[in-house]
């Protein structure tokens, strides 16, 4: 439903650019010259780096529609103070719209004040500020996905796999002993995914016993460390690994592989994101499933909103929730459809390029 409305908005924007061309106005004017400043919390994060690549592609497509788009990307490498300075630089360098992936989602005040003083709108993405902060000024928006949906889908995927294969309950005690690998403390996706995946498994009738958890900050190497410690503590009792993202699920698999544990005794692993590596792990049956975090959709929404904010055209056609939020739906991925996501997303990206 959300997607349909979104497509309608996309069609409207195409129509706007079509009109510009029809009038012979292909020369970029002030409003069609989009200079986007992108501030990322950490460019070494796999999902963020894949998302920003998609975003650059989407901005390229706007050029085909009679607008010129340039992008300046800054990496805060995990420091909010660095990001505050980088946002100032982006404004000084002439950006007329900002896309901000906050380091600390609870601390956007300095960035908001800067943007408001210079009247440069901000599209926050992926790391959701609290609603009160977004209400501070009319030029603030958010593009992301509904964290609860990803947790529920991961729980449903895991429940299906557990119900279909009694060998997953290795000790046959009728309960699934599990561990969780969590993203950063305080990140909306880490908190909500962790809670909802367990709630969903329970509501599907799966008896659970949580053995342990490790905070691995979305990071593959940290997850490998945490998993190695948990294997040390619980040995072969672990039957299920629920990771808040694919990189951490892959780190957990790395731990088992490096410890030379017999593959037939591995637990089942679930991630979230559908990164390239994550999808390949599902295709290869290393990961039992993942949940697609629609980076192409999010990138497209950000590019179209940026264009509308700068041109002043088409804002009323964008499918906001509460006038400020755009959420793209997640999708479940198993071995049955993983390959098509690898191929299909590529085709979709290529298709969008040639539109
Ligand atoms: C993704 C993670 C990513 C995080 C960064 C989450 O939505 O699932 O892979 O590390 O965002 O903020």
């Amino acid at each position: 439903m959300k997607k349909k409305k979104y497509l309608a908005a996309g069609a409207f924007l195409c129509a706007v650019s079509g009109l510009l061309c029809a009038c012979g106005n292909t020369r970029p004017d002030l409003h069609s010259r989009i200079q986007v400043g992108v501030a990322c919390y950490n460019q070494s994060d796999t999902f963020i780096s894949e998302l920003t690549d998609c975003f650059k592609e989407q901005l390229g497509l706007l050029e085909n529609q009679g607008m010129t788009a340039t992008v300046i990307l800054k990496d805060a490498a995990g420091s909010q103070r660095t990001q505050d300075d980088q946002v100032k630089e982006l404004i000084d360098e002439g950006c007329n719209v900002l896309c901000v992936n906050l380091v600390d989602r609870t601390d956007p005040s300095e960035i908001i004040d800067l943007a408001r003083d210079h009247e440069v709108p901000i599209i926050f993405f992926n790391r959701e500020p609290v609603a009160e902060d977004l209400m501070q000024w009319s030029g603030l928006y958010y593009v992301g996905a509904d964290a609860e949906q990803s947790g529920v889908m991961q729980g449903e995927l895991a429940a299906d796999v557990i119900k279909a294969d009694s060998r997953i309950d290795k000790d046959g005690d009728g309960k699934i002993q599990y561990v969780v690998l969590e993203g950063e403390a305080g990140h909306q996706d880490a908190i909500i995914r962790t809670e909802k995946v367990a709630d969903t498994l329970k509501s599907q009738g799966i008896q659970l016993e949580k053995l342990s958890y490790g905070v691995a900050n979305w990071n593959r190497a940290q997850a490998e460390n945490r998993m190695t410690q948990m294997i040390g503590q619980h040995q072969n009792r672990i039957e299920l690994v629920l990771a808040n993202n694919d990189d951490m699920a892959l780190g957990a698999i790395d731990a088992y592989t490096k410890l030379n544990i017999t593959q037939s005794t591995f637990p089942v692993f679930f991630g979230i994101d559908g990164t390239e590596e994550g999808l390949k792990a599902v295709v290869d049956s290393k990961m039992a499933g993942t949940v697609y975090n629609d980076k192409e959709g999010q990138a497209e929404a950000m590019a179209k909103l940026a264009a509308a904010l700068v041109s002043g055209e088409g804002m009323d056609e964008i499918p906001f929730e509460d006038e400020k939020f755009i959420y793209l739906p997640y999708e479940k991925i198993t071995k049955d459809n993983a390959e098509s996501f690898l191929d299909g997303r590529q085709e979709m990206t290529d298709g969008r390029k040639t539109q």
Side-chain angles (χ1 to χ4, degrees):
M1 181 64 181
K2 268 189 229 157
K3 194 134 195 165
K4 268 192 204 146
K5 280 200 241 160
Y6 178 68
L7 288 173
F12 179 79
L13 276 172
C14 293
V16 170
S17 52
L19 278 179
L20 286 177
C21 298
C23 303
N25 183 10
T26 48
R27 221 159 25 104
D29 63 13
L30 191 66
H31 291 306
S32 55
R33 212 177 295 135
I34 307 168
Q35 187 153 347
V36 193
V38 180
C40 289
Y41 95 100
N42 197 336
Q43 197 56 27
S44 69
D45 179 297
T46 308
F47 177 74
I48 295 301
S49 119
E50 291 188 359
L51 173 61
T52 49
D53 284 349
C54 290
F55 182 56
K56 284 185 221 153
E57 278 177 24
Q58 287 298 320
L59 289 177
L61 294 181
L62 292 175
E63 292 199 26
N64 299 341
Q65 298 169 14
M67 305 183 189
T68 52
T70 49
V71 58
I72 309 176
L73 197 139
K74 307 255 185 202
D75 176 10
S79 158
Q80 187 57 59
R81 193 175 265 202
T82 304
Q83 188 170 67
D84 294 348
D85 293 344
Q86 289 176 336
V87 166
K88 170 119 189 33
E89 285 161 25
L90 289 169
I91 293 173
D92 291 345
E93 286 166 42
C95 292
N96 52 12
V97 58
L98 297 170
C99 293
V100 178
N101 177 226
L102 285 165
V103 177
D104 179 351
R105 57 185 278 267
T106 65
D107 188 18
S109 316
E110 190 152 338
I111 289 176
I112 292 175
D113 289 348
L114 274 168
R116 184 172 35 201
D117 290 350
H118 293 83
E119 292 190 31
V120 180
I122 306 183
I123 303 166
F124 290 103
F125 67 99
N126 169 263
R127 300 161 75 90
E128 186 168 351
V130 293
E132 275 166 22
D133 282 328
L134 273 197
M135 297 307 160
Q136 284 189 38
W137 177 44
S138 59
L140 306 175
Y141 301 88
Y142 177 71
V143 174
D146 174 14
E148 174 166 343
Q149 188 186 34
S150 57
V152 169
M153 285 186 173
Q154 191 184 47
E156 288 170 353
L157 282 169
D160 287 349
V161 169
I162 292 164
K163 285 179 194 167
D165 186 353
S166 59
R167 288 168 307 174
I168 290 171
D169 181 12
K170 289 188 285 189
D171 61 4
D173 68 348
K175 279 188 278 181
I176 298 297
Q177 279 74 26
Y178 77 107
V179 300
V180 182
L181 284 162
E182 295 185 9
E184 288 162 275
H187 191 302
Q188 81 279 346
D189 289 340
I191 301 165
I192 298 172
R193 286 173 185 170
T194 301
E195 182 189 322
K196 290 295 159 189
V197 66
D199 288 355
T200 305
L201 276 159
K202 284 178 209 150
S203 73
Q204 295 259 340
I206 308 289
Q207 304 278 328
L208 290 176
E209 181 185 349
K210 187 169 184 172
L211 295 178
S212 190
Y213 73 97
V215 175
N217 298 309
W218 309 117
N219 180 282
R220 184 166 177 164
Q222 288 186 36
E224 184 189 328
N225 275 333
R226 298 287 100 79
M227 194 69 234
T228 305
Q229 288 162 359
M230 291 193 284
I231 296 168
Q233 277 171 310
H234 302 287
Q235 304 294 324
N236 61 358
R237 289 194 69 215
I238 304 168
E239 296 168 337
L240 167 68
V241 177
L242 298 169
N244 283 170
N245 78 346
D246 284 356
D247 260 14
M248 295 190 294
L250 293 166
I253 298 169
D254 293 340
Y256 276 90
T257 311
K258 289 192 189 163
L259 289 168
N260 282 324
I261 293 172
T262 321
Q263 204 152 339
S264 58
T265 67
F266 278 19
V268 278
F269 304 89
F270 290 88
I272 290 178
D273 276 343
T275 59
E276 200 176 336
E277 288 279 307
L279 290 172
K280 283 184 189 152
V282 177
V283 171
D284 296 342
S285 303
K286 290 182 179 155
M287 221 155 84
T290 187
V291 179
Y292 201 72
N293 195 352
D294 183 5
K295 56 184 182 293
E296 287 81 6
Q298 292 165 35
E300 189 176 3
M302 287 161 63
K304 291 192 165 158
L305 177 54
L309 286 166
V310 174
S311 68
E313 306 279 351
M315 280 297 284
D316 49 349
E317 297 297 318
I318 292 186
F320 292 115
E321 282 182 28
D322 296 331
E323 294 171 14
K324 281 180 176 285
F325 301 85
I326 302 174
Y327 295 105
L328 276 291
Y330 284 96
E331 284 172 73
K332 289 186 208 171
I333 299 181
T334 62
K335 198 174 165 60
D336 291 342
N337 62 352
E339 194 112 41
S340 72
F341 268 81
L342 269 174
D343 304 342
R345 293 291 150 172
Q346 192 51 45
E347 274 162 28
M348 202 178 280
T349 309
D350 294 345
R352 280 168 172 155
K353 266 188 220 153
T354 53
Q355 262 169 28

